[in-house]
Amino acid sequence: MNISDRQSIHGQWSSRWTFILAATGAAVGLGNIWKFPYLTGQNGGSAFVLVYILCVAALGIPLMMAEILLGRRGRSTPIRSMQILAEETNTTQSWQIVGWSGTLAGMLILSYYSVIGGWTLAYIFKSAGGTFTGASGQFAAETFSTFVGSGTTLFIWHTIFMVLTMGVVAGGVKGGLERAIQFLMPTLFILLLLMVAYSMTTGFFGKGLEFLFTPDFSKLTGASMLTAMGQAFFSLSLGMGTIMIYGSYVPKDTSIASTSIIIGLADTLVALLAGMAIFPIVFANNMEPDSGPGLIFQTLPVAFGNMPGGLAFGSLFFILLLVAAWTSSISLIEPLVTWLIETFGLSRIKASLYSGVATWLFGLGTVWSFNWWAEITFFGLTFFDLLDFVTSNLMLPLGGILIALFAGWLMKAESTKSELNIHNPSLYFAWQTLVRYIAPVAVFIVLLNAIGIL
């Protein structure tokens, strides 16, 4: 079969715009709305934001282009695509490890992501029910501690979130993924803008903008620069197979370069809007912007509970978190579902059911690591902490490095030029240089920093 005629058996995005929404949905998740604001707070604000944006441009977008082109070139699951491309480049089939690693990482990440997604679901009802109205910081902390300390409660919310996720995936590319994305992504942006508008009424919106956009490089350390680099890589969902499988559904006439730039910009815009929504509220309540992971589930509920209109907007905020988690979760399991379909000839519904049940079962380890298994540790880490460390700090960076090396060094220039459709030699040279030299070294440094060597 001619390479240009190769098509995915799972379907194709109906348009370039749909792919942009889908890939942005895969990239935009709790990391943008939950992690980015507190990392910004912990690393000095706007100087960190500037480094983050530069890293997205120089590291994230070129790697995203590489992962999309591998997916579209292979037109299959990440595992099968790497097999096809290894044959095409006359190299060892060992490169399938890229597909295996990404597929497994996506499943493992979803297993604990679903638990956190369940938290956002529960907090929608807690906020709407007035749980935090007039609440103190101590009350919010005790409420969260009691919530995660109940294995039964987390079990229920984890189950509901997995059902929501697999219900979309079972519908297929057009009947499930496209339909959900076309509703959820505009909803996410509307909710974000509503939250920003609400923050404008706090009287501290200017201070929030100053914190985000007025650089103070005296607060920028080597560690914070590495954190920004790592966040830029992880924020775009690179190395976990999702971008590659979504790339396999991309129409041939879609420009990978311009589409990747739009996705990178949209992903960054969501992170910045989240900061613009959150920091004015934090400052208005005399809270610290560097309060860490507890910012979302402990600090902000208190802020909303003590502000005019906080009941409604606190609920909207957690709906926003749910939408962000949902759009990411459906992409995380897609590589495994498609692999089961291609390998065993299963129907889409059966593959989704088996994948969902396996992921849900694995997620119980995370559920119980906050309560019944809290004292059980592996290398000093709970089940959840170990899972998060192995996937985020080892599997994803290694996957990103291997993707860069394969696309930059092993694939023929004619192949990458054909897929990227970059006619300007200087622009192609810039991409090739970034993918060959800058990205692998940068991600390797992130890897060393994550495991404590740097």
Side-chain angles (χ1 to χ4, degrees), residues 24 41 51 60 75 83 88 101 122 124 140 159-160 180 197 209 224 226 257 276 293 295 308 310 351 362 429:
T24 302
V51 175
R75 292 291 188 191
Q83 180 185 353
E88 184 182 306
S101 175
I124 292 171
T159 302
I160 294 172
L209 291 182
S224 61
L226 286 173
M276 292 165 66
L295 180 67
F362 213 85
F429 175 76

Side-chain angles (χ1 to χ4, degrees), residues 83-289:
Q83 180 185 353
I84 291 170
L85 296 176
E87 292 174 357
E88 184 182 306
T89 54
N90 296 315
T91 190
T92 173
Q93 287 293 310
S94 298
W95 281 96
Q96 289 182 61
I97 191 66
V98 176
W100 281 108
S101 175
T103 301
L104 179 60
M107 180 261 196
L108 294 177
I109 291 170
L110 178 58
S111 74
Y112 67 79
Y113 204 85
S114 173
V115 178
I116 311 301
W119 295 0
T120 68
L121 260 171
Y123 266 63
I124 292 171
F125 294 97
K126 286 182 182 294
S127 295
T131 299
F132 300 107
T133 301
S136 65
Q138 181 180 352
F139 176 81
E142 289 174 353
T143 299
F144 182 71
S145 179
T146 301
F147 172 68
V148 298
S150 171
T152 303
T153 301
L154 296 194
F155 173 92
I156 292 170
W157 289 112
H158 164 55
T159 302
I160 294 172
F161 188 86
M162 277 302 303
V163 170
L164 289 175
T165 297
M166 301 318 300
V168 171
V169 176
V173 175
K174 292 192 175 179
L177 299 176
E178 272 203 15
R179 186 174 297 176
I181 288 296
Q182 288 172 346
F183 169 74
L184 291 175
M185 287 310 295
T187 300
L188 184 142
F189 276 100
I190 290 170
L191 289 173
L192 255 181
L193 292 174
L194 284 173
M195 291 304 304
V196 172
Y198 177 66
S199 289
M200 289 180 178
T201 68
T202 63
F204 286 82
F205 191 69
K207 186 174 181 180
L209 291 182
E210 181 181 353
F211 183 76
L212 273 173
F213 299 114
T214 304
D216 181 0
F217 291 102
S218 66
K219 295 181 180 179
L220 195 64
T221 65
S224 61
M225 292 178 71
L226 286 173
T227 301
M229 194 185 303
Q231 178 64 10
F233 174 76
F234 298 126
S235 176
L236 292 173
S237 296
L238 301 172
M240 60 182 71
T242 60
I243 298 300
M244 196 182 298
I245 190 66
Y246 275 13
S248 71
Y249 308 147
V250 174
K252 182 63 182 175
D253 58 354
T254 297
S255 168
I256 291 177
S258 62
T259 301
S260 298
I261 291 170
I262 293 172
I263 295 167
L265 289 173
D267 181 72
T268 303
L269 177 62
V270 168
L272 293 176
L273 286 173
M276 292 165 66
I278 290 171
F279 288 123
I281 295 172
V282 169
F283 291 136
N285 288 270
N286 295 313
M287 296 175 173
E288 295 299 322

Side-chain angles (χ1 to χ4, degrees), residues 21-37:
L21 286 178
T24 302
V28 170
L30 295 176
N32 297 71
I33 300 169
W34 170 43
K35 195 172 184 180
F36 178 79

Side-chain angles (χ1 to χ4, degrees), residues 3-49:
I3 290 172
S4 62
D5 296 329
R6 192 183 290 153
Q7 293 293 327
S8 170
I9 66 169
H10 308 287
Q12 181 173 287
W13 303 118
S14 59
S15 67
R16 174 175 178 257
W17 175 242
T18 303
F19 170 61
I20 290 173
L21 286 178
T24 302
V28 170
L30 295 176
N32 297 71
I33 300 169
W34 170 43
K35 195 172 184 180
F36 178 79
Y38 84 70
L39 285 179
T40 301
Q42 290 177 334
N43 291 279
S46 55
F48 174 85
V49 172

Side-chain angles (χ1 to χ4, degrees), residues 402-415:
L402 292 175
I403 286 170
L405 294 177
F406 190 90
W409 290 99
L410 295 182
M411 289 190 72
K412 296 177 181 178
E414 307 90 79
S415 299

